[in-house]
Amino acid sequence: MAFVGTAVRRLAMVRRPPLSPLSRVSARLYSTEHTKEKNVPYKKTLKQEGTSSGPTKPLPRSADVVVIGGGSLGCQTVYHLAKMGLTNVVLLERDRLTAGTTWHTAGLLWQLRPSDVEVELLAHTRKVVSQDLEEETGLHTGWIQNGGLFIASNKQRLDEYKRLMSLGKVYGIESYVLSPAETKDLYPLMNVDDLYGTLYVPKDGTMDPAGTCTTLTRAALARGAMVIENCPVTGIQVKMDGLGVRQVKAVETDHGTIETPCVVNCAGVWASKLGQMAGVKVPLIAMHHAYVVTERIEGIQNMPNVRDHDASVYLRLQGDALSVGGYEENPIFWDQVSDKFAFSLFDLDWDVFMQHIEGAINRVPVLEQTGIKSTVCGPESFTADHKPLMGEAPEVRGFFLGCGFNSAGMMMGGGCGRELAHWIIHGRPEKDMYGYDIRRFHHSLTDNNRWIRERSHESYAKNYSVVFPFDEPLASRNMRKDPFHQVLTEQGCVFQERHGWERPGWFNRDGPAPVKDYDYYGAYDTKKNQNYKYKELLGREYTFDFPPHHCVIKSECLSCRNAVAVFNMSYFGKFFLTGPDAKKAADWLFTADVNKKPGSTVYTCMLNKRGGSEADLTVSRLEPGDQNLPLAPKSNGDAYYLAIGGGVAEHNWNHIRTVLHDQNFNCELTDFSEEMGMISIQGPKSREVLQEVLDTDLSNEAFPFSTHKVVKAAGQQVRAMRLSFVGELGWELHIPKSSCLLVYEAVMAAGRKHGIINSGYRAIDSLSIEKGYRHWHADLRPDDTPLEAGLGFTCKLKSSVLFQGRDVLERQKQEGLKRKIVCFTIDEKVPMFGLEAIFRNGVPVGHLRRADYGFYIDKTIGYGYIRNPDGGVVSTDFIKSGEFTLERMGVAYKARAHLKTPFDPENKRVKGFYD
């Protein structure tokens, strides 16, 4: 029998050379003492002996939806589609259900995550497997509620768990922070000598893959769906419509063709190959992912599952044994994905896996004398940010993704399957799924093999790392750089990565801190970066307290408030909307009236059909005229210039294209994001600075707020817009790429006597929340309406002009708001970052979506949506009459609720009026 402790000692004596990240590795056992048994620990799988004899059912000629892949996501999606009333649905599985990656999954479910949306998704999965399916079918899915225990070996980790506990209170999730002694009482076999504490969640548990998927399909079949196994897909037919848009037409197999307008790619590791059949890019990569199953352990029965993040290991209860697995820094890539790989496992590479054994023995010492019964090493698909790929593919209408679940397909399956079904039927999910939407990635990245490989590796290696508020990736940086990048690097810019762009975060006073090529954290015999200042500065951010450079960000903010600062915002999306139906499209797309006279610029939202905010942006109406690219397109009629936050530009681009297609508008949308830079000069002295640079009168009368002009700056043509995202007097300059540095140098020279400085997005975050401006995907999301978000002023509800989502807003206005955003401040100088629980009169009513420190008012500020616990309207009186507290890491702080922003509520400063 192989013992865990023996394996550790043997591997300590002999080590293999590191693996190349580009090599195709055939894993092998190192020592004859290791078990060669490869088998999953489940009593039942859906594998059948012998060769298949073709499809288990005849193929229909047509279907409303064809789901491809019979794993967790495919089964959950079919189940939820049928449950929502769409019954002409077919699930095609190339082998048997679960055959790919689902059959060998560990099946863990943890309820608490550092994301409100994920908490909600996990809650739905838990409800489906522990309650709904059994009520509908009378069958038990194999759900076991044995609880979950998160291990903290240091203060930062325990702080993270306390944040999760506070968020869980909003959702009614029972959890407790335990001392080492209390942990020992709960789990007597655990070593607690090196613990700070633990987080115990009693209603976490484990799922059985075969039992869950069988029950899901049984319930779907009862509602009229069809499940066909042993039927590989060989092709996807795509047609072109009259507007030149590619759409799904049919699914091909060796046994027939199914005509359908909708395909759902739930093919897991094989999803990229399926995408290629339709010309769809699916940016995921396959890796070996493993766990081992121990022999019987006396006293382990009924113990909770354990996640020891700092040791990068999990311990899953398996009856009277444990499954031990984790995430390593040197995972093995599976480059040659085999179509014949079904109910199959790799040999375990013990050199790669052994670090998990060492961590497991430290946590549960009895494992050193416990035998290993079997190994489970199978393929899993991983993505660039360790989040799934979902939603309609940008390349083909009707081609949906439900893949890339990073070994969490069972855990996330119920919630994501429900949202995906809603997406297919109604055009958008119910929840804010932007973090999973394939459109979160810029199209230039999704077929870049270096980016996919490096970022997926880093995300895998850091899966168990503490989720700090200001962390940044080190992999695949410098993919998209604007014209200011080099000069700002020389001035100490510490960049953030967004959408592939390098954008300024803050400015280090101790000199340049450039981002280097990725070193795979020293894995695969890659030389580790030395003297890496950027990584060192990033490491100082690894805190839930104020970072060491808090004072630097304060200086950037107060320079903007008291004098003048320049912000490089070049990563913004910059689109032109033109064509015969441009005015019709603008009326329908935008909530605000953007059809004012040419020269006007309007802040507006774009909505989905449910009234949710798909974007906030500025729209500038252009003068008709000849082409003057990149500043203006040729236009004989209506033309609009759209400026959109760069991190969500791809999402916005595809939202607009989808609406234009759905409404059959004859328009052209063109992207000039790469052809122009953009700097924003903000602060009380901005007019004095720019008056020396621009060849136009900048007085309030000549250049009012929310207007724009093409002018000359340092002899170069630019589009100047009088706007502010920080609440000060200021202008944006949209500059042709070739002119960027000339204009920047002229601005800095003119501003020198006024104390001008460079500032970054960390300052913008603080300044904008202080002013009460929204950040999309933080305090404004697709599940928030403008009325709930305090942006009713952007909606042309007093006009008769129709726009998408208007009917929902009118109904909401008539019925009253059941949830509403509120600004909170606290007097104690403690940092908050979002996810802190909001209590009204001692009852949880919501959580902060976004929080930061406001340096001008010298307070922590947070914005969050609150509900009335009685289900009633959230009125002004409801807010005024409540006593509010914000809970941060289990500690409650008295908070003041504000009906208006505490900074310049009368908007005097943006209009140029300073006392």
Side-chain angles (χ1 to χ4, degrees):
M1 179 187 295
F3 287 93
V4 175
T6 304
V8 173
R9 289 189 289 272
R10 289 290 298 231
L11 264 294
M13 291 188 286
V14 184
R15 294 288 184 181
R16 285 176 55 189
L19 299 166
S20 164
L22 303 178
S23 64
R24 286 177 284 278
V25 181
S26 177
R28 62 179 176 84
L29 295 179
Y30 186 81
S31 167
T32 55
E33 291 190 29
H34 295 311
T35 178
K36 294 185 178 181
E37 178 68 21
K38 297 185 296 184
N39 198 12
V40 296
Y42 303 109
K43 293 180 180 178
K44 176 186 176 183
T45 70
L46 302 181
K47 182 178 181 179
Q48 288 190 344
E49 300 301 327
T51 58
S52 64
S53 57
T56 52
K57 294 177 184 175
L59 273 65
R61 296 184 61 181
S62 64
D64 292 330
V65 180
V66 175
V67 178
I68 302 172
S72 171
L73 254 295
C75 294
Q76 289 277 11
T77 302
V78 166
Y79 165 74
H80 282 95
L81 283 169
K83 195 167 184 177
M84 291 180 190
L86 193 63
T87 56
N88 185 19
V89 179
V90 177
L91 169 63
L92 296 180
E93 163 54 43
R94 65 187 176 92
D95 196 273
R96 307 292 293 185
L97 295 180
T98 75
T101 61
T102 298
W103 82 289
H104 60 71
T105 181
L108 295 158
L109 191 148
W110 318 94
Q111 293 179 89
L112 292 178
R113 305 270 275 211
S115 159
D116 58 335
V117 175
E118 290 190 0
V119 169
E120 294 172 10
L121 295 173
L122 291 165
H124 184 69
T125 298
R126 188 184 180 284
K127 183 173 180 291
V128 169
V129 300
S130 67
Q131 179 182 328
D132 292 354
L133 287 173
E134 191 164 351
E135 290 177 356
E136 293 174 31
T137 66
L139 301 174
H140 183 52
T141 63
W143 165 255
I144 299 171
Q145 181 180 298
N146 59 313
L149 193 62
F150 284 4
I151 307 299
S153 301
N154 55 68
K155 180 182 181 299
Q156 300 284 33
R157 184 69 75 178
L158 193 59
D159 284 347
E160 180 184 38
Y161 295 163
K162 289 176 180 178
R163 277 172 55 79
L164 298 181
M165 179 185 67
S166 291
L167 178 62
K169 291 179 182 179
V170 178
Y171 290 98
I173 297 174
E174 183 183 0
S175 67
Y176 307 93
V177 171
L178 305 182
S179 68
E182 291 170 324
T183 303
K184 186 73 172 179
D185 289 340
L186 176 68
Y187 203 121
L189 293 179
M190 183 172 289
N191 167 33
V192 300
D193 293 344
D194 58 349
L195 295 192
Y196 256 70
T198 57
L199 179 68
Y200 175 49
V201 186
K203 294 182 181 178
D204 285 352
T206 52
M207 296 171 286
D208 176 80
T212 300
C213 290
T214 299
T215 314
L216 284 166
T217 52
R218 182 79 63 89
L221 290 169
R223 288 185 165 90
M226 183 179 290
V227 176
I228 303 175
E229 299 173 274
N230 297 331
C231 188
V233 170
T234 57
I236 307 289
Q237 293 181 14
V238 175
K239 64 182 179 181
M240 192 87 74
D241 72 3
L243 294 175
V245 175
R246 300 173 70 236
Q247 295 179 293
V248 168
K249 180 183 178 183
V251 174
E252 298 174 347
T253 78
D254 287 338
H255 307 282
T257 298
I258 305 174
E259 293 185 2
T260 182
C262 182
V263 163
V264 190
N265 183 351
C266 296
V269 164
W270 297 268
S272 294
K273 288 188 175 183
L274 188 65
Q276 290 170 6
M277 295 178 186
V280 170
K281 296 181 288 186
V282 184
L284 55 75
I285 198 163
M287 299 183 197
H288 293 203
H289 191 54
Y291 61 91
V292 298
V293 185
T294 73
E295 297 285 358
R296 183 178 186 277
I297 303 172
E298 184 61 40
I300 204 71
Q301 296 86 344
N302 301 317
M303 290 295 102
N305 301 315
V306 174
R307 224 178 185 185
D308 190 341
H309 292 93
D310 295 312
S312 196
V313 68
Y314 67 79
L315 307 171
R316 179 218 199 265
L317 184 69
Q318 202 75 54
D320 58 3
L322 288 176
S323 292
V324 179
Y327 291 81
E328 55 280 346
E329 288 190 352
N330 56 337
I332 299 171
F333 293 100
W334 191 32
D335 289 332
Q336 296 297 325
V337 176
S338 169
D339 292 338
K340 305 299 182 183
F341 200 92
F343 292 111
S344 301
L345 296 171
F346 305 115
D347 289 337
L348 181 65
D349 189 308
W350 285 96
D351 285 346
V352 173
F353 189 80
M354 192 49 60
Q355 56 194 285
H356 307 311
I357 295 293
E358 294 166 358
I361 289 175
N362 175 63
R363 189 56 53 221
V364 181
V366 70
L367 284 173
E368 187 166 15
Q369 299 302 320
T370 302
I372 296 175
K373 185 177 181 180
S374 66
T375 67
V376 183
C377 183
E380 293 281 2
S381 57
F382 295 91
T383 64
D385 56 2
H386 218 73
K387 303 293 183 187
L389 306 175
M390 294 180 63
E392 191 172 30
E395 300 92 344
V396 179
R397 296 298 306 272
F399 192 101
F400 285 80
L401 301 178
C403 51
F405 274 79
N406 304 277
S407 77
M410 284 293 293
M411 180 164 54
M412 305 300 298
C416 289
R418 183 179 186 276
E419 293 305 309
L420 191 52
H422 202 279
W423 218 323
I424 293 163
I425 294 171
H426 300 290
R428 294 299 291 148
E430 279 194 309
K431 300 187 188 303
D432 166 34
M433 298 297 287
Y434 175 72
Y436 292 5
D437 193 333
I438 182 60
R439 300 178 299 175
R440 71 189 184 272
F441 297 134
H442 190 258
H443 64 270
S444 67
L445 302 175
T446 50
D447 61 352
N448 185 307
N449 290 332
R450 175 198 155 201
W451 177 80
I452 296 168
R453 193 179 197 87
E454 288 186 0
R455 288 290 295 272
S456 297
H457 170 269
E458 184 178 34
S459 295
Y460 181 100
K462 290 181 67 175
N463 184 44
Y464 277 5
S465 297
V466 177
V467 180
F468 289 109
F470 301 112
D471 200 7
E472 293 291 329
L474 297 174
S476 286
R477 296 292 297 268
N478 297 318
M479 303 296 285
R480 303 174 76 194
K481 296 187 288 188
D482 62 59
F484 306 105
H485 182 268
Q486 183 59 36
V487 69
L488 295 185
T489 298
E490 293 167 0
Q491 296 180 66
C493 185
V494 180
F495 285 95
Q496 301 172 329
E497 188 276 338
R498 298 293 183 275
H499 222 45
W501 285 108
E502 297 293 318
R503 76 172 192 183
W506 57 283
F507 285 81
N508 176 42
R509 293 171 176 172
D510 297 326
V515 179
K516 299 183 179 183
D517 287 344
Y518 186 51
D519 62 3
Y520 284 90
Y521 292 87
Y524 313 115
D525 208 19
T526 307
K527 186 177 180 181
K528 209 166 186 177
N529 286 320
Q530 302 296 317
N531 302 315
Y532 196 174
K533 183 179 280 190
Y534 180 85
K535 186 178 180 182
E536 177 188 333
L537 290 172
L538 200 61
R540 296 177 191 172
E541 295 260 31
Y542 291 169
T543 176
F544 292 108
D545 204 338
F546 293 118
H549 46 267
H550 187 62
C551 59
V552 179
I553 299 168
K554 175 181 179 179
S555 175
E556 292 182 19
C557 290
L558 294 183
S559 291
C560 180
R561 289 278 183 249
N562 298 321
V564 60
V566 59
F567 300 90
N568 174 19
M569 304 173 74
S570 297
Y571 90 124
F572 259 50
K574 310 168 193 79
F575 308 152
F576 290 116
L577 179 65
T578 58
D581 290 341
K583 183 179 183 300
K584 288 182 184 177
D587 282 340
W588 183 252
L589 276 165
F590 307 123
T591 59
D593 179 10
V594 300
N595 282 303
K596 301 179 184 296
K597 65 180 182 180
S600 64
T601 297
V602 178
Y603 173 68
T604 183
C605 294
M606 291 192 290
L607 308 184
N608 52 45
K609 294 174 184 177
R610 299 176 61 245
S613 303
E614 290 290 333
D616 69 330
L617 66 158
T618 59
V619 178
S620 300
R621 193 170 183 201
L622 306 179
E623 293 272 5
D626 293 333
Q627 178 174 287
N628 180 24
L629 294 176
L631 293 175
K634 180 179 180 181
S635 170
N636 298 321
D638 299 293
Y640 306 87
Y641 176 50
L642 284 53
I644 295 165
V648 295
E650 186 78 17
H651 170 87
N652 282 231
W653 171 267
N654 285 287
H655 173 75
I656 295 168
R657 287 180 63 222
T658 298
V659 172
L660 297 181
H661 182 240
D662 288 346
Q663 298 298 317
N664 204 28
F665 288 133
N666 184 7
C667 294
E668 186 175 0
L669 185 68
T670 50
D671 184 356
F672 280 82
S673 304
E674 306 274 358
E675 282 68 46
M676 282 189 281
M678 173 183 164
I679 55 175
S680 182
I681 299 90
Q682 300 288 324
K685 301 292 185 181
S686 60
R687 180 182 278 136
E688 295 173 55
V689 173
L690 289 175
Q691 195 63 79
E692 294 187 32
V693 179
L694 304 183
D695 68 345
T696 191
D697 183 358
L698 299 181
S699 66
N700 283 343
E701 294 75 24
F703 209 140
F705 185 69
S706 286
T707 62
H708 65 93
K709 298 178 183 179
V710 174
V711 299
K712 283 197 173 180
Q716 311 295 309
Q717 275 200 330
V718 304
R719 185 175 298 280
M721 296 186 180
R722 188 171 165 192
L723 295 170
S724 179
F725 196 51
V726 296
E728 298 294 337
L729 172 69
W731 281 261
E732 294 175 1
L733 303 183
H734 298 240
I735 314 166
K737 194 174 182 179
S738 59
S739 303
C740 282
L741 287 180
L742 288 171
V743 174
Y744 171 77
E745 289 165 0
V747 169
M748 297 305 286
R752 196 165 291 123
K753 61 179 173 287
H754 299 287
I756 196 169
I757 68 166
N758 291 300
S759 292
Y761 268 83
R762 293 288 289 279
I764 288 179
D765 290 343
S766 169
L767 294 163
S768 61
I769 198 171
E770 194 170 48
K771 177 60 183 137
Y773 291 156
R774 306 286 178 260
H775 275 197
W776 195 84
H777 200 235
D779 40 15
L780 181 66
R781 305 193 310 201
D783 51 346
D784 306 319
T785 72
L787 301 184
E788 295 168 340
L791 298 178
F793 67 91
T794 67
C795 302
K796 52 192 176 224
L797 292 175
K798 292 182 180 178
S799 76
S800 59
V801 179
L802 297 178
F803 59 89
Q804 181 159 275
R806 175 173 180 146
D807 56 329
V808 178
L809 302 192
E810 288 177 332
R811 187 164 59 250
Q812 196 175 55
K813 190 173 183 180
Q814 184 177 3
E815 295 173 354
L817 299 177
K818 301 295 179 68
R819 59 196 290 272
K820 191 174 184 179
I821 199 166
V822 177
C823 172
F824 297 95
T825 58
I826 62 172
D827 291 331
E828 289 88 349
K829 289 191 177 181
V830 296
M832 293 187 178
F833 307 104
L835 300 184
E836 290 81 8
I838 303 169
F839 289 81
R840 179 185 181 274
N841 299 342
V843 178
V845 292
H847 65 275
L848 295 185
R849 287 275 195 83
R850 180 177 165 221
D852 213 318
Y853 199 82
F855 293 100
Y856 192 83
I857 67 170
D858 201 23
K859 290 182 186 296
T860 293
I861 310 169
Y863 278 82
Y865 290 79
I866 66 170
R867 295 181 181 273
N868 188 328
D870 298 333
V873 171
V874 178
S875 63
T876 299
D877 183 63
F878 178 82
I879 298 170
K880 284 183 174 180
S881 63
E883 292 188 2
F884 290 93
T885 56
L886 304 179
E887 183 175 307
R888 172 190 182 269
M889 300 180 189
V891 179
Y893 297 89
K894 188 174 181 180
R896 180 182 174 189
H898 301 264
L899 297 176
K900 289 186 177 182
T901 171
F903 172 78
D904 189 24
E906 296 177 355
N907 287 326
K908 289 183 177 180
R909 297 170 76 101
V910 295
K911 298 172 185 175
F913 301 121
Y914 290 87
D915 295 331

